[in-house]
Amino acid sequence: MAASFRVAVAVTCALVLATACQGLQVGYYNKSCPRVEHIVRDEVKKFVYKNAGVGAGLIRMLFHDCFVQGCDGSVLLDPTPANPRPEKLSAPNFPSLRGFEVIDAAKDAVEKACPGTVSCADIIAFAARDAAYFLSRFYVKIDMPAGRLDGRVSNASEALDFLPPPVFNITGLVGSFAAKGLDAEDMVVLSGAHTIGRSHCSSFVPDRLAVPSDINASFANLLRRRCPANPTPGNDPTVNQDLVTPNALDNQYYKNVLAHKVLFTSDAALLTTPATARMVLDNANIPGWWEAKFKKAFVKMSQVEVKTGKQGEVRRNCRVVN
Ligand code: HEM
Ligand SMILES: *[C@@H]1O[C@H](CO)[C@@H](O)[C@H](O)[C@H]1NC(C)=O
Ligand SMILES: *[C@@H]1O[C@H](CO)[C@@H](O)[C@H](O)[C@H]1NC(C)=O
Ligand SMILES: *[C@@H]1O[C@H](CO)[C@@H](O)[C@H](O)[C@H]1NC(C)=O
Ligand SMILES: *[C@@H]1O[C@H](CO)[C@@H](O)[C@H](O)[C@H]1NC(C)=O
């Protein structure tokens, strides 16, 4: 790389948000694939308008991709004889993670327009960003930097190592986000994604339905009616995370936390330190506050441990390494 170009990049980075500058750029495909962001958005729109839950799945997919091997599309890789246990088969992802068919459709459409140009990692980031846009009724609008490369490593055991389980307390949660360069406020703000989508009963039974519990008694009773006492793979229904506005990406999650009507120990844990409880209150009560913080934290999360240069490739098929 020419020294003058490096200097230009450094200067540009000094001028924009520090978080938008780990080698990624907004409009990265301006020249090489100018329509990519439109193409992905149209695919996401089709799927999300048919089933809002798929949009929730895409937002969660970005989180699960980024926390394991960085945001590199590793969560998309299918099992092979040489690698029978990729991330997507790990307990945090299988069978709950959804939206893979949207990524496949987007990748097919993008490959037709610009073969071999756009990484699967960037497609996940664009798709998650678009899902947030549609589910927030066009309120959460994010300029998504791009230029991520796809990884070649995907191991289920690493998903267990890095994805925080729903039984974590505040110490565990802060620690797992810190391990990815995200702070306690990022963690609180990103947990607000639990304002959409669903959970399988097995993710909170029996943990949250034991007595005594801090959970609202009538909410707990509702969950007891909807969930078996011992969920099994063959009998594991789902419930919505947010009973008030189940498909809206809004700040209702924080009102649910305050009302003790949330599914996970990790959600309730946000009230267990004064600093994080304060953030919950602000997110619940100040209009527009959470949405502004969410946009920043989302972009920050989308840049965790991204691969550039020789560390990755642009996969032709998102499910297999080249
Ligand atoms: C703070 C730590 C977190 C924990 C412990 C956690 C845990 C979980 C669990 C257990 C589920 C239910 C999965 C199922 O049984 O179907 C879930 C769902 C979900 N999570 Fe999280 N999560 C966390 C953070 C995040 C973050 C950072 C995001 C994205 C910004 C996110 C987005 C979602 C979404 C959208 C769903 C619904 C998915 C669907 O409907 O398919 N979560 N989470
Ligand atoms: C791509 O184009 C947009 C809109 O004109 C501009 O804001 C952005 O900085 C451009 N990015 C690159 C990397 O060229
Ligand atoms: C995945 O990680 C585990 C634990 O470190 C290791 O035993 C296993 O060999 C790895 N699998 C592959 C295919 O690299
Ligand atoms: C959080 O959980 C860890 C691991 O289970 C435990 O050692 C620790 O004491 C807990 N911390 C708090 C503040 O409850
Ligand atoms: C639990 O929720 C119910 C129904 O919304 C409400 O009437 C009740 O006051 C709540 N319980 C407590 C202890 O806040």
Side-chain angles (χ1 to χ4, degrees), residues 195-240:
T195 188
I196 50 173
R198 67 181 188 193
S199 172
H200 291 75
C201 291
S202 57
S203 294
F204 57 88
V205 176
D207 178 39
R208 293 279 283 159
L209 298 186
V211 274
S213 141
D214 76 295
I215 204 165
N216 170 288
S218 62
F219 185 62
N221 279 330
L222 178 116
L223 298 176
R224 285 188 189 99
R225 286 197 299 277
R226 301 225 178 133
C227 288
N230 293 298
T232 59
N235 181 20
D236 192 4
T238 58
V239 299
N240 284 337

Side-chain angles (χ1 to χ4, degrees), residues 218-276:
S218 62
F219 185 62
N221 279 330
L222 178 116
L223 298 176
R224 285 188 189 99
R225 286 197 299 277
R226 301 225 178 133
C227 288
N230 293 298
T232 59
N235 181 20
D236 192 4
T238 58
V239 299
N240 284 337
Q241 304 239 24
D242 173 5
L243 299 188
V244 185
T245 54
N247 295 327
L249 189 75
D250 58 14
N251 71 339
Q252 179 63 39
Y253 169 77
Y254 298 96
K255 299 174 188 174
N256 297 341
V257 172
L258 291 170
H260 303 277
K261 293 179 181 176
V262 280
L263 295 179
F264 309 133
T265 296
S266 60
D267 299 318
L270 305 185
L271 291 180
T272 60
T273 72
T276 54

Side-chain angles (χ1 to χ4, degrees), residues 25-31 143:
Q25 287 176 291
V26 175
Y28 178 82
Y29 296 105
N30 277 3
K31 293 214 171 68
D143 287 329

Side-chain angles (χ1 to χ4, degrees), residues 24-44:
L24 303 188
Q25 287 176 291
V26 175
Y28 178 82
Y29 296 105
N30 277 3
K31 293 214 171 68
S32 60
C33 191
R35 289 198 38 79
V36 60
E37 298 191 37
H38 287 99
I39 295 170
V40 174
R41 188 175 60 190
D42 287 348
E43 292 298 330
V44 171

